[in-house]
Amino acid sequence: MESLMAILDERLDNDNYTANDTAVKDAVNELLESIGELPVSTSPTTSSGASIYNRALRFLERANVRTQAMMWPENTALAKRDTVTNLIGSAGLALAVRAAGEDSHRSFVVRESSGNQIIFDSDAGAAISGGTTIQVDMCTKVPFKELSYHLRENIIKSAAQEFQRRLQGSPQADQMLAQERIFADGRTSRPEAMKKNAPLRNAQSPFSSMPAPPQTGTQDG
């Protein structure tokens, strides 16, 4: 099978960090504020260090990838028909894939193999060759600073909650951050299933379905 491309690029903007990156600095500062740390005046330029600032950036990177992979209108091309090589591309930005159209009966996922991204056919139990044409909904990683305000906010709130849980572990702060995350998630535009007349992943916020309250009182005999 022909080689496709390197493993997923997890950097926020698919490029090296710079000290004057305002979007990254503001996001890092929001994480720092969640644990009572003072904000930074310049953005950290690496997420591999051991400082609190480097670690905050790493939490952002993880939340960015995990959240974007849920498939949103701004980073997902629906019913795209092309070869696997063209779908994956050469930048290591493929996040998720879902079989669509003529291939909707099949089960595809994005995986990594020998340092390359591949599209794996779960039914066949094997990678699909690069020259094979398939039809899929294709989700790719968009640079963080190019995302809509609401999706960026969703990512930051998710990262802040995880950051506080790991570094501080305050139950009171966790409740506050969870509430902020719910509001941010509810404001983020989702795929509209009715437009496609098909069930779509992530079409409803996971926070929008609350359990029914318990029954109280007694029935009349």
Side-chain angles (χ1 to χ4, degrees), residues 31 54-64 159 162-164 166-167:
L31 265 67
N54 302 136
R55 295 178 69 186
L57 181 54
R58 184 64 187 135
F59 270 81
L60 269 172
E61 289 177 336
R62 288 198 293 257
N64 182 51
E162 292 295 321
F163 190 64
Q164 192 282 139
R166 300 294 186 272
L167 274 70

Side-chain angles (χ1 to χ4, degrees), residues 141-152:
K141 185 166 76 74
V142 174
F144 181 75
K145 62 187 174 186
E146 295 179 15
L147 294 172
S148 66
Y149 172 82
H150 289 311
L151 186 50
R152 285 204 312 269

Side-chain angles (χ1 to χ4, degrees), residues 119-177:
I119 294 182
F120 186 84
D121 185 335
S122 300
D123 301 319
I128 306 173
S129 63
T132 301
T133 297
I134 57 176
Q135 190 167 12
V136 297
D137 297 336
M138 191 73 209
C139 175
T140 55
K141 185 166 76 74
V142 174
F144 181 75
K145 62 187 174 186
E146 295 179 15
L147 294 172
S148 66
Y149 172 82
H150 289 311
L151 186 50
R152 285 204 312 269
E153 181 190 25
N154 197 332
I155 292 166
I156 293 169
K157 297 301 183 183
S158 177
Q161 186 177 21
E162 292 295 321
F163 190 64
Q164 192 282 139
R165 283 178 175 176
R166 300 294 186 272
L167 274 70
Q168 195 172 54
S170 165
Q172 293 79 14
D174 187 67
Q175 290 181 8
M176 178 193 69
L177 292 168

Side-chain angles (χ1 to χ4, degrees), residues 19 21-30 40-44:
D21 192 325
T22 303
V24 174
K25 180 187 70 175
D26 290 347
V28 166
N29 280 339
E30 188 157 347
V40 294
S41 57
T42 58
S43 175

Side-chain angles (χ1 to χ4, degrees), residues 85-107:
T85 297
N86 289 338
L87 289 167
I88 291 288
S90 59
L93 302 179
L95 286 175
V97 68
R98 176 179 53 233
E102 62 195 38
D103 289 311
S104 59
H105 61 287
R106 304 170 70 181
S107 299

